[in-house]
Amino acid sequence: MSIKNFFKNAFSDMKESAKAQHEVDKAEFAAAKAESKANFNEAKALGNSKTRKAMMQAERQSKIDAANARKAAAQARIDSTKQ
């Protein structure tokens, strides 16, 4: 293998690597941009009282559902030990 071919292959590999890294960077930038926009829209929606109330109600309901599921699991454990 000559020096010329060595450098030709090395630079070709670097070029391919740079292209692949550029694609990764573009995808990560697009994801960060979308997340930023979502965060902005959520913050903007919290300024609206109707939206904020609906979001808070949904959060409370999910907590109630989780607590009821834990309660049912505990009751099942209690019932299994009574036999």
PDB file of all heavy atoms in Angstrom, residues 31-62:
ATOM      1  N   ALA A  31     -34.641  17.873  16.806  1.00  0.00           N
ATOM      2  CA  ALA A  31     -35.315  17.405  18.020  1.00  0.00           C
ATOM      3  C   ALA A  31     -35.299  18.489  19.094  1.00  0.00           C
ATOM      4  O   ALA A  31     -36.312  18.734  19.756  1.00  0.00           O
ATOM      5  CB  ALA A  31     -34.641  16.141  18.542  1.00  0.00           C
ATOM      6  N   ALA A  32     -34.170  19.149  19.272  1.00  0.00           N
ATOM      7  CA  ALA A  32     -34.069  20.216  20.276  1.00  0.00           C
ATOM      8  C   ALA A  32     -34.995  21.372  19.916  1.00  0.00           C
ATOM      9  O   ALA A  32     -35.631  21.965  20.790  1.00  0.00           O
ATOM     10  CB  ALA A  32     -32.629  20.700  20.382  1.00  0.00           C
ATOM     11  N   LYS A  33     -35.083  21.686  18.633  1.00  0.00           N
ATOM     12  CA  LYS A  33     -35.965  22.759  18.175  1.00  0.00           C
ATOM     13  C   LYS A  33     -37.427  22.413  18.456  1.00  0.00           C
ATOM     14  O   LYS A  33     -38.190  23.260  18.936  1.00  0.00           O
ATOM     15  CB  LYS A  33     -35.740  22.980  16.680  1.00  0.00           C
ATOM     16  CG  LYS A  33     -36.476  24.149  16.105  1.00  0.00           C
ATOM     17  CD  LYS A  33     -36.117  24.326  14.630  1.00  0.00           C
ATOM     18  CE  LYS A  33     -36.922  25.438  14.007  1.00  0.00           C
ATOM     19  NZ  LYS A  33     -36.624  25.587  12.577  1.00  0.00           N
ATOM     20  N   ALA A  34     -37.815  21.172  18.176  1.00  0.00           N
ATOM     21  CA  ALA A  34     -39.195  20.745  18.423  1.00  0.00           C
ATOM     22  C   ALA A  34     -39.507  20.759  19.917  1.00  0.00           C
ATOM     23  O   ALA A  34     -40.589  21.188  20.328  1.00  0.00           O
ATOM     24  CB  ALA A  34     -39.421  19.356  17.845  1.00  0.00           C
ATOM     25  N   GLU A  35     -38.560  20.289  20.747  1.00  0.00           N
ATOM     26  CA  GLU A  35     -38.770  20.308  22.196  1.00  0.00           C
ATOM     27  C   GLU A  35     -38.911  21.733  22.706  1.00  0.00           C
ATOM     28  O   GLU A  35     -39.742  22.017  23.573  1.00  0.00           O
ATOM     29  CB  GLU A  35     -37.616  19.609  22.910  1.00  0.00           C
ATOM     30  CG  GLU A  35     -37.603  18.109  22.715  1.00  0.00           C
ATOM     31  CD  GLU A  35     -36.335  17.462  23.229  1.00  0.00           C
ATOM     32  OE1 GLU A  35     -35.345  18.183  23.517  1.00  0.00           O
ATOM     33  OE2 GLU A  35     -36.328  16.226  23.342  1.00  0.00           O
ATOM     34  N   SER A  36     -38.102  22.627  22.183  1.00  0.00           N
ATOM     35  CA  SER A  36     -38.164  24.024  22.597  1.00  0.00           C
ATOM     36  C   SER A  36     -39.513  24.633  22.245  1.00  0.00           C
ATOM     37  O   SER A  36     -40.110  25.348  23.050  1.00  0.00           O
ATOM     38  CB  SER A  36     -37.038  24.816  21.930  1.00  0.00           C
ATOM     39  OG  SER A  36     -37.123  26.173  22.268  1.00  0.00           O
ATOM     40  N   LYS A  37     -39.995  24.333  21.047  1.00  0.00           N
ATOM     41  CA  LYS A  37     -41.296  24.855  20.627  1.00  0.00           C
ATOM     42  C   LYS A  37     -42.411  24.287  21.499  1.00  0.00           C
ATOM     43  O   LYS A  37     -43.344  25.014  21.882  1.00  0.00           O
ATOM     44  CB  LYS A  37     -41.549  24.529  19.163  1.00  0.00           C
ATOM     45  CG  LYS A  37     -42.791  25.178  18.609  1.00  0.00           C
ATOM     46  CD  LYS A  37     -42.893  25.008  17.110  1.00  0.00           C
ATOM     47  CE  LYS A  37     -44.105  25.765  16.601  1.00  0.00           C
ATOM     48  NZ  LYS A  37     -44.156  25.789  15.146  1.00  0.00           N
ATOM     49  N   ALA A  38     -42.317  22.995  21.827  1.00  0.00           N
ATOM     50  CA  ALA A  38     -43.327  22.373  22.688  1.00  0.00           C
ATOM     51  C   ALA A  38     -43.314  23.017  24.074  1.00  0.00           C
ATOM     52  O   ALA A  38     -44.370  23.306  24.644  1.00  0.00           O
ATOM     53  CB  ALA A  38     -43.078  20.874  22.794  1.00  0.00           C
ATOM     54  N   ASN A  39     -42.121  23.246  24.613  1.00  0.00           N
ATOM     55  CA  ASN A  39     -42.017  23.889  25.925  1.00  0.00           C
ATOM     56  C   ASN A  39     -42.623  25.291  25.894  1.00  0.00           C
ATOM     57  O   ASN A  39     -43.323  25.702  26.823  1.00  0.00           O
ATOM     58  CB  ASN A  39     -40.561  23.961  26.384  1.00  0.00           C
ATOM     59  CG  ASN A  39     -40.010  22.611  26.755  1.00  0.00           C
ATOM     60  OD1 ASN A  39     -40.749  21.678  27.030  1.00  0.00           O
ATOM     61  ND2 ASN A  39     -38.693  22.495  26.752  1.00  0.00           N
ATOM     62  N   PHE A  40     -42.353  26.031  24.832  1.00  0.00           N
ATOM     63  CA  PHE A  40     -42.889  27.379  24.693  1.00  0.00           C
ATOM     64  C   PHE A  40     -44.412  27.347  24.631  1.00  0.00           C
ATOM     65  O   PHE A  40     -45.091  28.127  25.305  1.00  0.00           O
ATOM     66  CB  PHE A  40     -42.318  28.056  23.447  1.00  0.00           C
ATOM     67  CG  PHE A  40     -42.942  29.395  23.167  1.00  0.00           C
ATOM     68  CD1 PHE A  40     -42.579  30.511  23.897  1.00  0.00           C
ATOM     69  CD2 PHE A  40     -43.898  29.535  22.170  1.00  0.00           C
ATOM     70  CE1 PHE A  40     -43.159  31.747  23.653  1.00  0.00           C
ATOM     71  CE2 PHE A  40     -44.485  30.765  21.923  1.00  0.00           C
ATOM     72  CZ  PHE A  40     -44.108  31.875  22.660  1.00  0.00           C
ATOM     73  N   ASN A  41     -44.945  26.423  23.817  1.00  0.00           N
ATOM     74  CA  ASN A  41     -46.400  26.336  23.683  1.00  0.00           C
ATOM     75  C   ASN A  41     -47.061  25.906  24.990  1.00  0.00           C
ATOM     76  O   ASN A  41     -48.148  26.384  25.321  1.00  0.00           O
ATOM     77  CB  ASN A  41     -46.772  25.388  22.545  1.00  0.00           C
ATOM     78  CG  ASN A  41     -46.519  26.005  21.196  1.00  0.00           C
ATOM     79  OD1 ASN A  41     -46.435  27.219  21.064  1.00  0.00           O
ATOM     80  ND2 ASN A  41     -46.377  25.175  20.182  1.00  0.00           N
ATOM     81  N   GLU A  42     -46.409  25.009  25.739  1.00  0.00           N
ATOM     82  CA  GLU A  42     -46.957  24.613  27.039  1.00  0.00           C
ATOM     83  C   GLU A  42     -46.958  25.794  28.005  1.00  0.00           C
ATOM     84  O   GLU A  42     -47.933  26.009  28.729  1.00  0.00           O
ATOM     85  CB  GLU A  42     -46.157  23.457  27.626  1.00  0.00           C
ATOM     86  CG  GLU A  42     -46.426  22.136  26.943  1.00  0.00           C
ATOM     87  CD  GLU A  42     -45.529  21.032  27.461  1.00  0.00           C
ATOM     88  OE1 GLU A  42     -44.571  21.308  28.211  1.00  0.00           O
ATOM     89  OE2 GLU A  42     -45.799  19.868  27.107  1.00  0.00           O
ATOM     90  N   ALA A  43     -45.868  26.547  28.022  1.00  0.00           N
ATOM     91  CA  ALA A  43     -45.792  27.710  28.905  1.00  0.00           C
ATOM     92  C   ALA A  43     -46.838  28.753  28.503  1.00  0.00           C
ATOM     93  O   ALA A  43     -47.470  29.373  29.357  1.00  0.00           O
ATOM     94  CB  ALA A  43     -44.398  28.315  28.861  1.00  0.00           C
ATOM     95  N   LYS A  44     -47.016  28.919  27.212  1.00  0.00           N
ATOM     96  CA  LYS A  44     -48.009  29.870  26.717  1.00  0.00           C
ATOM     97  C   LYS A  44     -49.422  29.417  27.099  1.00  0.00           C
ATOM     98  O   LYS A  44     -50.258  30.227  27.496  1.00  0.00           O
ATOM     99  CB  LYS A  44     -47.882  29.979  25.200  1.00  0.00           C
ATOM    100  CG  LYS A  44     -48.731  31.049  24.575  1.00  0.00           C
ATOM    101  CD  LYS A  44     -48.449  31.117  23.077  1.00  0.00           C
ATOM    102  CE  LYS A  44     -49.372  32.084  22.389  1.00  0.00           C
ATOM    103  NZ  LYS A  44     -49.155  32.089  20.933  1.00  0.00           N
ATOM    104  N   ALA A  45     -49.662  28.113  27.018  1.00  0.00           N
ATOM    105  CA  ALA A  45     -50.982  27.583  27.358  1.00  0.00           C
ATOM    106  C   ALA A  45     -51.273  27.745  28.842  1.00  0.00           C
ATOM    107  O   ALA A  45     -52.421  27.936  29.233  1.00  0.00           O
ATOM    108  CB  ALA A  45     -51.072  26.117  26.958  1.00  0.00           C
ATOM    109  N   LEU A  46     -50.246  27.679  29.668  1.00  0.00           N
ATOM    110  CA  LEU A  46     -50.458  27.849  31.103  1.00  0.00           C
ATOM    111  C   LEU A  46     -50.902  29.266  31.436  1.00  0.00           C
ATOM    112  O   LEU A  46     -51.470  29.497  32.496  1.00  0.00           O
ATOM    113  CB  LEU A  46     -49.185  27.494  31.883  1.00  0.00           C
ATOM    114  CG  LEU A  46     -48.873  26.009  31.961  1.00  0.00           C
ATOM    115  CD1 LEU A  46     -47.542  25.779  32.677  1.00  0.00           C
ATOM    116  CD2 LEU A  46     -49.986  25.248  32.652  1.00  0.00           C
ATOM    117  N   GLY A  47     -50.659  30.199  30.548  1.00  0.00           N
ATOM    118  CA  GLY A  47     -51.124  31.560  30.747  1.00  0.00           C
ATOM    119  C   GLY A  47     -52.626  31.679  30.587  1.00  0.00           C
ATOM    120  O   GLY A  47     -53.247  32.576  31.143  1.00  0.00           O
ATOM    121  N   ASN A  48     -53.216  30.762  29.858  1.00  0.00           N
ATOM    122  CA  ASN A  48     -54.666  30.739  29.657  1.00  0.00           C
ATOM    123  C   ASN A  48     -55.288  29.955  30.813  1.00  0.00           C
ATOM    124  O   ASN A  48     -54.970  28.800  31.042  1.00  0.00           O
ATOM    125  CB  ASN A  48     -54.979  30.069  28.322  1.00  0.00           C
ATOM    126  CG  ASN A  48     -56.455  30.096  27.991  1.00  0.00           C
ATOM    127  OD1 ASN A  48     -57.280  30.460  28.817  1.00  0.00           O
ATOM    128  ND2 ASN A  48     -56.771  29.710  26.761  1.00  0.00           N
ATOM    129  N   SER A  49     -56.186  30.571  31.552  1.00  0.00           N
ATOM    130  CA  SER A  49     -56.736  29.940  32.755  1.00  0.00           C
ATOM    131  C   SER A  49     -57.523  28.675  32.449  1.00  0.00           C
ATOM    132  O   SER A  49     -57.455  27.707  33.197  1.00  0.00           O
ATOM    133  CB  SER A  49     -57.593  30.928  33.530  1.00  0.00           C
ATOM    134  OG  SER A  49     -58.721  31.306  32.767  1.00  0.00           O
ATOM    135  N   LYS A  50     -58.265  28.645  31.346  1.00  0.00           N
ATOM    136  CA  LYS A  50     -59.041  27.449  31.004  1.00  0.00           C
ATOM    137  C   LYS A  50     -58.116  26.271  30.718  1.00  0.00           C
ATOM    138  O   LYS A  50     -58.361  25.152  31.178  1.00  0.00           O
ATOM    139  CB  LYS A  50     -59.928  27.714  29.792  1.00  0.00           C
ATOM    140  CG  LYS A  50     -61.094  28.623  30.071  1.00  0.00           C
ATOM    141  CD  LYS A  50     -61.946  28.811  28.835  1.00  0.00           C
ATOM    142  CE  LYS A  50     -63.085  29.779  29.129  1.00  0.00           C
ATOM    143  NZ  LYS A  50     -63.917  29.994  27.945  1.00  0.00           N
ATOM    144  N   THR A  51     -57.068  26.522  29.963  1.00  0.00           N
ATOM    145  CA  THR A  51     -56.124  25.464  29.633  1.00  0.00           C
ATOM    146  C   THR A  51     -55.400  24.988  30.883  1.00  0.00           C
ATOM    147  O   THR A  51     -55.216  23.783  31.084  1.00  0.00           O
ATOM    148  CB  THR A  51     -55.097  25.967  28.599  1.00  0.00           C
ATOM    149  OG1 THR A  51     -55.792  26.500  27.473  1.00  0.00           O
ATOM    150  CG2 THR A  51     -54.184  24.860  28.145  1.00  0.00           C
ATOM    151  N   ARG A  52     -54.995  25.930  31.732  1.00  0.00           N
ATOM    152  CA  ARG A  52     -54.287  25.574  32.960  1.00  0.00           C
ATOM    153  C   ARG A  52     -55.180  24.723  33.859  1.00  0.00           C
ATOM    154  O   ARG A  52     -54.743  23.713  34.407  1.00  0.00           O
ATOM    155  CB  ARG A  52     -53.814  26.818  33.700  1.00  0.00           C
ATOM    156  CG  ARG A  52     -53.000  26.497  34.945  1.00  0.00           C
ATOM    157  CD  ARG A  52     -52.450  27.719  35.648  1.00  0.00           C
ATOM    158  NE  ARG A  52     -53.511  28.580  36.173  1.00  0.00           N
ATOM    159  CZ  ARG A  52     -53.823  29.776  35.692  1.00  0.00           C
ATOM    160  NH1 ARG A  52     -53.162  30.280  34.669  1.00  0.00           N
ATOM    161  NH2 ARG A  52     -54.791  30.483  36.228  1.00  0.00           N
ATOM    162  N   LYS A  53     -56.444  25.114  33.997  1.00  0.00           N
ATOM    163  CA  LYS A  53     -57.371  24.343  34.825  1.00  0.00           C
ATOM    164  C   LYS A  53     -57.560  22.928  34.270  1.00  0.00           C
ATOM    165  O   LYS A  53     -57.603  21.959  35.025  1.00  0.00           O
ATOM    166  CB  LYS A  53     -58.717  25.054  34.923  1.00  0.00           C
ATOM    167  CG  LYS A  53     -58.687  26.276  35.815  1.00  0.00           C
ATOM    168  CD  LYS A  53     -60.046  26.961  35.843  1.00  0.00           C
ATOM    169  CE  LYS A  53     -59.990  28.242  36.651  1.00  0.00           C
ATOM    170  NZ  LYS A  53     -61.264  28.964  36.632  1.00  0.00           N
ATOM    171  N   ALA A  54     -57.684  22.819  32.958  1.00  0.00           N
ATOM    172  CA  ALA A  54     -57.861  21.505  32.339  1.00  0.00           C
ATOM    173  C   ALA A  54     -56.629  20.631  32.549  1.00  0.00           C
ATOM    174  O   ALA A  54     -56.753  19.435  32.856  1.00  0.00           O
ATOM    175  CB  ALA A  54     -58.149  21.659  30.853  1.00  0.00           C
ATOM    176  N   MET A  55     -55.444  21.229  32.402  1.00  0.00           N
ATOM    177  CA  MET A  55     -54.217  20.464  32.612  1.00  0.00           C
ATOM    178  C   MET A  55     -54.085  20.022  34.068  1.00  0.00           C
ATOM    179  O   MET A  55     -53.698  18.881  34.351  1.00  0.00           O
ATOM    180  CB  MET A  55     -52.992  21.289  32.198  1.00  0.00           C
ATOM    181  CG  MET A  55     -52.850  21.464  30.702  1.00  0.00           C
ATOM    182  SD  MET A  55     -51.501  22.567  30.226  1.00  0.00           S
ATOM    183  CE  MET A  55     -50.086  21.674  30.830  1.00  0.00           C
ATOM    184  N   MET A  56     -54.411  20.913  34.983  1.00  0.00           N
ATOM    185  CA  MET A  56     -54.314  20.578  36.397  1.00  0.00           C
ATOM    186  C   MET A  56     -55.331  19.496  36.761  1.00  0.00           C
ATOM    187  O   MET A  56     -55.023  18.586  37.538  1.00  0.00           O
ATOM    188  CB  MET A  56     -54.500  21.826  37.251  1.00  0.00           C
ATOM    189  CG  MET A  56     -53.357  22.816  37.125  1.00  0.00           C
ATOM    190  SD  MET A  56     -53.636  24.344  38.019  1.00  0.00           S
ATOM    191  CE  MET A  56     -53.352  23.795  39.692  1.00  0.00           C
ATOM    192  N   GLN A  57     -56.533  19.572  36.206  1.00  0.00           N
ATOM    193  CA  GLN A  57     -57.556  18.565  36.474  1.00  0.00           C
ATOM    194  C   GLN A  57     -57.108  17.206  35.941  1.00  0.00           C
ATOM    195  O   GLN A  57     -57.298  16.185  36.594  1.00  0.00           O
ATOM    196  CB  GLN A  57     -58.901  18.967  35.871  1.00  0.00           C
ATOM    197  CG  GLN A  57     -60.011  17.980  36.141  1.00  0.00           C
ATOM    198  CD  GLN A  57     -60.285  17.774  37.619  1.00  0.00           C
ATOM    199  OE1 GLN A  57     -60.155  18.685  38.423  1.00  0.00           O
ATOM    200  NE2 GLN A  57     -60.637  16.561  37.980  1.00  0.00           N
ATOM    201  N   ALA A  58     -56.526  17.191  34.747  1.00  0.00           N
ATOM    202  CA  ALA A  58     -56.043  15.934  34.172  1.00  0.00           C
ATOM    203  C   ALA A  58     -54.923  15.338  35.034  1.00  0.00           C
ATOM    204  O   ALA A  58     -54.875  14.121  35.253  1.00  0.00           O
ATOM    205  CB  ALA A  58     -55.537  16.173  32.752  1.00  0.00           C
ATOM    206  N   GLU A  59     -54.053  16.196  35.541  1.00  0.00           N
ATOM    207  CA  GLU A  59     -52.971  15.723  36.409  1.00  0.00           C
ATOM    208  C   GLU A  59     -53.538  15.162  37.717  1.00  0.00           C
ATOM    209  O   GLU A  59     -53.116  14.092  38.185  1.00  0.00           O
ATOM    210  CB  GLU A  59     -52.003  16.869  36.703  1.00  0.00           C
ATOM    211  CG  GLU A  59     -50.795  16.447  37.513  1.00  0.00           C
ATOM    212  CD  GLU A  59     -49.817  17.589  37.748  1.00  0.00           C
ATOM    213  OE1 GLU A  59     -49.854  18.570  36.971  1.00  0.00           O
ATOM    214  OE2 GLU A  59     -49.042  17.492  38.700  1.00  0.00           O
ATOM    215  N   ARG A  60     -54.494  15.853  38.300  1.00  0.00           N
ATOM    216  CA  ARG A  60     -55.117  15.370  39.532  1.00  0.00           C
ATOM    217  C   ARG A  60     -55.815  14.038  39.293  1.00  0.00           C
ATOM    218  O   ARG A  60     -55.720  13.121  40.116  1.00  0.00           O
ATOM    219  CB  ARG A  60     -56.113  16.399  40.070  1.00  0.00           C
ATOM    220  CG  ARG A  60     -55.459  17.585  40.748  1.00  0.00           C
ATOM    221  CD  ARG A  60     -56.483  18.430  41.487  1.00  0.00           C
ATOM    222  NE  ARG A  60     -57.455  19.057  40.589  1.00  0.00           N
ATOM    223  CZ  ARG A  60     -57.341  20.293  40.103  1.00  0.00           C
ATOM    224  NH1 ARG A  60     -56.313  21.043  40.447  1.00  0.00           N
ATOM    225  NH2 ARG A  60     -58.256  20.781  39.299  1.00  0.00           N
ATOM    226  N   GLN A  61     -56.524  13.928  38.177  1.00  0.00           N
ATOM    227  CA  GLN A  61     -57.230  12.684  37.868  1.00  0.00           C
ATOM    228  C   GLN A  61     -56.251  11.526  37.698  1.00  0.00           C
ATOM    229  O   GLN A  61     -56.516  10.414  38.156  1.00  0.00           O
ATOM    230  CB  GLN A  61     -58.085  12.846  36.610  1.00  0.00           C
ATOM    231  CG  GLN A  61     -58.999  11.672  36.343  1.00  0.00           C
ATOM    232  CD  GLN A  61     -59.980  11.441  37.482  1.00  0.00           C
ATOM    233  OE1 GLN A  61     -60.566  12.362  38.021  1.00  0.00           O
ATOM    234  NE2 GLN A  61     -60.154  10.184  37.860  1.00  0.00           N
ATOM    235  N   SER A  62     -55.120  11.767  37.062  1.00  0.00           N
ATOM    236  CA  SER A  62     -54.136  10.690  36.893  1.00  0.00           C
ATOM    237  C   SER A  62     -53.560  10.267  38.243  1.00  0.00           C
ATOM    238  O   SER A  62     -53.315   9.077  38.474  1.00  0.00           O
ATOM    239  CB  SER A  62     -53.016  11.111  35.938  1.00  0.00           C
ATOM    240  OG  SER A  62     -52.229  12.130  36.511  1.00  0.00           O
TER     241      SER A  62
END
